[in-house]
Amino acid sequence: MVICCCDGSVDGILTAVFEAWSIDIKTSEISVNRHGNMVMFAEYRDVATDYGKAARVASAIINKISPEAYELVYYACLSCDEERGNAILQFVRKGMRMGAAVVDDLQDSNVMKVFEMKRNAVREMEHYRGFLRFVQQGDYLLARFEPRNDLIVPLADFFGDRLMQENYAIVDMARGKAAVHRAYEPFYLCDVDAELLRNIEYEDEEKVINGLWKTFESTIGIEARYNPELQRQNMPLRFRKYMN
């Protein structure tokens, strides 16, 4: 058995699918964690991300299975699940045989797992669309967050349409990646030192706005209706780390 080890990104996983297919898709697997549990007597191969091969796999999924299937695969690639590589590989393998009907075969454990990974990633993304907060830092806006899933690209796409006229950076503090957007231009991804941004000092104007918000919040609050448990249900604590 050959296990293709990739970097866990969308393009990395799709490249690994291409390589697994080239080797022998029936006996190959994909690993997104090279340092996880090792399989005895298996051959491990490091797969470098190749955008051309990834594009070919993406095109094959769209044209030979369906655009819906590719959407499932894309969001499953963004999942934090360590087993996403194999589930996606087997989903694509079955999809090439069944065609578009594969997305309805929820009795298959791999198909169901891909659905669950997509659902988890999309649910978290929908939360961050509403909960992500930008602060003024000089001539640009800064947003920091620590998602469980790798959501920086779809979130940068989302805010790119809504903050087109702004300079901003969205920083994934957990993965050390940032989406940097210059006004009226496409965003680009880069690596950053998250520790330098973890304890950043807010500007004076931002501190004033924070103070005004806290005053407003305490003023309109009704003590008899104070319900921290309901607050945590509506906005879990993990989303509040970089909020006021």
Side-chain angles (χ1 to χ4, degrees):
M1 180 172 63
V2 177
I3 298 179
C4 300
C5 303
C6 62
D7 61 9
S9 65
V10 175
D11 290 313
I13 292 174
L14 294 182
T15 302
V17 170
F18 183 96
E19 295 297 337
W21 206 291
S22 300
I23 298 166
D24 183 356
I25 197 169
K26 294 182 180 179
T27 60
S28 298
E29 294 186 1
I30 294 175
S31 172
V32 299
N33 184 5
R34 187 66 168 84
H35 303 290
N37 294 329
M38 305 292 284
V39 178
M40 292 186 65
F41 309 114
E43 177 187 350
Y44 284 80
R45 295 188 187 180
D46 291 323
V47 175
T49 300
D50 185 312
Y51 299 106
K53 293 178 180 178
R56 289 174 63 183
V57 173
S59 178
I61 295 171
I62 293 171
N63 295 321
K64 296 184 180 180
I65 307 178
S66 69
E68 181 184 358
Y70 178 71
E71 182 178 343
L72 281 169
V73 169
Y74 175 78
Y75 281 104
C77 287
L78 301 180
S79 170
C80 59
D81 194 309
E82 293 289 346
E83 298 299 322
R84 63 188 183 276
N86 275 330
I88 291 168
L89 177 64
Q90 297 308 320
F91 175 85
V92 173
R93 178 189 175 194
K94 189 165 190 174
M96 290 299 178
R97 297 199 312 268
M98 292 182 61
V102 69
V103 299
D104 298 319
D105 189 13
L106 298 182
Q107 293 182 346
D108 186 290
S109 60
N110 290 305
V111 176
M112 188 63 190
K113 189 173 185 64
V114 169
F115 260 93
E116 290 174 347
M117 290 188 294
K118 181 212 170 180
R119 182 171 55 193
N120 179 269
V122 169
R123 183 184 294 118
E124 186 179 35
M125 182 179 68
E126 293 294 339
H127 278 99
Y128 274 115
R129 282 180 175 181
F131 295 156
L132 194 67
R133 293 293 181 265
F134 290 84
V135 296
Q136 190 73 43
Q137 289 295 125
D139 58 353
Y140 72 98
L141 301 174
L142 173 66
R144 296 170 294 170
F145 72 139
E146 294 184 14
R148 291 174 180 169
N149 302 291
D150 189 2
L151 303 176
I152 195 164
V153 170
L155 280 174
D157 279 332
F158 177 80
F159 286 104
D161 289 338
R162 287 152 183 80
L163 300 175
M164 185 183 301
Q165 74 282 6
E166 301 287 350
N167 297 319
Y168 67 78
I170 301 175
V171 183
D172 184 335
M173 303 292 285
R175 296 171 178 81
K177 298 194 299 186
V180 180
H181 175 271
R182 189 183 295 274
Y184 302 105
E185 295 182 9
F187 73 89
Y188 62 89
L189 295 178
C190 63
D191 296 327
V192 296
D193 185 350
E195 289 303 318
L196 295 177
L197 298 172
R198 194 169 299 279
N199 299 313
I200 194 168
E201 282 290 331
Y202 291 159
E203 294 187 343
D204 291 340
E205 183 179 356
E206 193 67 35
K207 291 179 180 178
V208 171
I209 294 174
N210 287 349
L212 289 172
W213 168 254
K214 291 177 181 178
T215 301
F216 170 75
E217 184 181 33
S218 61
T219 301
I220 68 168
I222 301 174
E223 186 175 353
R225 295 188 178 180
Y226 178 63
N227 189 342
E229 184 175 344
L230 180 60
Q231 289 178 358
R232 286 193 294 271
Q233 290 178 9
N234 292 331
M235 183 183 290
L237 295 177
R238 68 187 183 91
F239 292 107
R240 307 185 195 183
K241 186 171 183 178
Y242 299 102
M243 301 175 70
N244 293 337

